[in-house]
Amino acid sequence: MANVKIVTDSNSGITQAEAEKLGISVLPMPFLIDGEEYFEDLTLSQKEFYEHLQGEAIVSTSQPSVGNVTELWDELLKDGGEILHIPMSSGLSESCHTAESLAKDYGGKVHVVDNQRISVTQKRSVYDAIALRNRGMSAEEIKKVLLETKFDSSIYISLE
């Protein structure tokens, strides 16, 4: 198996507990609620988030901080290898562009995938990346596959 560490963000719907089982890392997305910062699935549960939304709280979102991203990357690269980072779509957040900019300082060790996905389709990309890594592909090779197939996803919604 290639020494590729996979990183995504909590917009993928992957919890910290699930990430641990999968052997990947999930950057929690920050929320500001009435001016106080919370981190998805770390200091704020889904239940608490929806309770705030139902109340009169002022809720806004943000991207992971540069420090949080680089701290995670630095830790993951301590034993060598490379990182495949799958953030939410650049069409919805600047977090992808920020990660691409930060990756330039890592000498080709960090590969950021902007495959225009969010939620369940982003999660599917992570699962695909895990399977490709387990087949021995490098981060660069996995990124190429994910970009080539970025429009090969569908979501079906049914109403009753």
Side-chain angles (χ1 to χ4, degrees), residues 30-134:
F31 290 93
L32 286 175
I33 300 175
D34 292 332
E36 189 172 336
E37 188 174 52
Y38 295 88
F39 293 94
E40 187 173 9
D41 197 33
L42 289 180
T43 59
L44 181 71
S45 70
Q46 274 192 350
K47 181 180 183 229
E48 292 168 325
F49 175 75
Y50 288 114
E51 287 171 357
H52 285 290
L53 283 181
Q54 290 175 342
E56 295 186 22
I58 299 171
V59 179
S60 62
T61 61
S62 183
Q63 64 179 315
S65 73
V66 167
N68 288 346
V69 174
T70 57
E71 183 179 308
L72 175 61
W73 289 357
D74 292 344
E75 182 63 30
L76 291 174
L77 290 172
K78 278 184 179 176
D79 66 347
E82 53 187 346
I83 293 173
L84 183 77
H85 185 97
I86 306 171
M88 69 184 290
S89 171
S90 65
L92 298 171
S93 172
E94 282 298 308
S95 62
C96 185
H97 293 131
T98 299
E100 288 172 330
S101 179
L102 294 171
K104 292 175 184 173
D105 293 334
Y106 282 82
K109 295 287 186 186
V110 177
H111 303 268
V112 179
V113 180
D114 183 10
N115 66 343
Q116 312 292 284
R117 295 192 179 189
I118 187 74
S119 189
V120 295
T121 57
Q122 182 181 356
K123 186 176 195 173
R124 179 75 256 161
S125 291
V126 171
Y127 288 156
D128 291 345
I130 292 168
L132 294 169
R133 176 192 63 192
N134 292 346

Side-chain angles (χ1 to χ4, degrees), residues 142-160:
I142 297 168
K143 177 181 177 178
K144 183 177 180 199
V145 170
L146 294 179
L147 291 177
E148 288 172 351
T149 60
K150 71 181 181 180
F151 296 121
D152 298 344
S153 67
S154 300
I155 298 176
Y156 297 93
I157 299 172
S158 68
L159 302 173
E160 294 185 31

